[in-house]
Amino acid sequence: ETGVTQTPRHLVMGMTNKKSLKCEQHLGHNAMYWYKQSAKKPLELMFVYNFKEQTENNSVPSRFSPECPNSSHLFLHLHTLQPEDSALYLCASSTRTSGEPTDTQYFGPGTRLTVL
Amino acid sequence: KQEVTQIPAALSVPEGENLVLNCSFTDSAIYNLQWFRQDPGKGLTSLLLIQSSQREQTSGRLNASLDKSSGRSTLYIAASQPGDSATYLCAVFKAAGNKLTFGGGTRVLVKP
């Protein structure tokens, strides 16, 4: 399998549930990203990981908890979410790291999350 | 804070017409600018990346220009086809930090 994959593709959860989103990249990249895309708002960066270390947290609420066990996998753990957290969550990866011009980021297909 | 704006928000053209999509950004201290395509319910596909030292990039029917001093980029799509229907997003990579800032996108419909 090639590229960036995300599972699940669709998720419906209640506000008291705990769930996790998974992202996997097969491109040999060393940087991975989580983005949030809400209706009628620009795509927003949430987290950046370089070589498994978090280098950017864009003021994301603590109910979103990222985990990067290795350079190929990225998780987003969700708990006690709010209805306004419903959105498309996109994962991306790239070859460059902080402080240098970046190569193109390659995006996964996203997880459509609905919080009831 | 970098802000990226795309105008128009939506565009509908007959097949064969050329498309012109605009992107503006407030902070000219960028490393590069990228144009992406997003199909409904899907992820983003990179179309073109222009480094800050470049004025334009071309790929097939696509041409993107960059005027960093005025904070503008334009994506031209020649001889549009129904398959070009999608949302087009521009994003700038700032000079400090590992961060892409996206515009709101232009939703394009090419009618047969």
Side-chain angles (χ1 to χ4, degrees), chain B residues 70-94:
Chain B
S70 67
R72 294 180 189 173
S73 177
T74 302
L75 177 67
Y76 301 89
I77 303 177
S80 62
Q81 304 169 357
D84 295 328
S85 299
T87 296
Y88 292 83
L89 298 157
C90 76
V92 297
F93 187 81
K94 60 189 284 189

Side-chain angles (χ1 to χ4, degrees), chain B residues 38-109:
Chain B
Q38 185 176 29
D39 293 289
K42 303 282 184 66
L44 278 65
T45 302
S46 179
L47 298 174
L48 292 167
L49 183 154
I50 312 175
Q51 301 292 353
S52 62
S53 58
Q54 298 175 319
R55 301 279 298 183
E56 67 176 349
Q57 279 286 340
T58 298
S59 177
R61 294 183 294 112
L62 276 60
N63 174 276
S65 65
L66 174 63
D67 184 343
K68 202 173 76 162
S69 60
S70 67
R72 294 180 189 173
S73 177
T74 302
L75 177 67
Y76 301 89
I77 303 177
S80 62
Q81 304 169 357
D84 295 328
S85 299
T87 296
Y88 292 83
L89 298 157
C90 76
V92 297
F93 187 81
K94 60 189 284 189
N98 199 7
K99 183 175 179 176
L100 272 177
T101 301
F102 282 83
T106 295
R107 191 170 65 255
V108 170
L109 175 63

Side-chain angles (χ1 to χ4, degrees), chain A residues 9 33 35 37 43 45 48 50 58 99-100 102 104-105 107-109, chain B residues 31-32 34 36 38 41-44 46 49 93 98-100 102-103:
Chain A
R9 294 295 310 278
Y33 314 79
Y35 288 89
Q37 188 173 35
L43 203 65
L45 179 69
V48 180
N50 291 311
N58 199 25
E100 295 182 0
T102 187
T104 299
Q105 291 185 17
F107 283 77
Chain B
Y31 268 143
N32 61 44
Q34 299 184 54
F36 293 87
Q38 185 176 29
K42 303 282 184 66
L44 278 65
S46 179
L49 183 154
F93 187 81
N98 199 7
K99 183 175 179 176
L100 272 177
F102 282 83

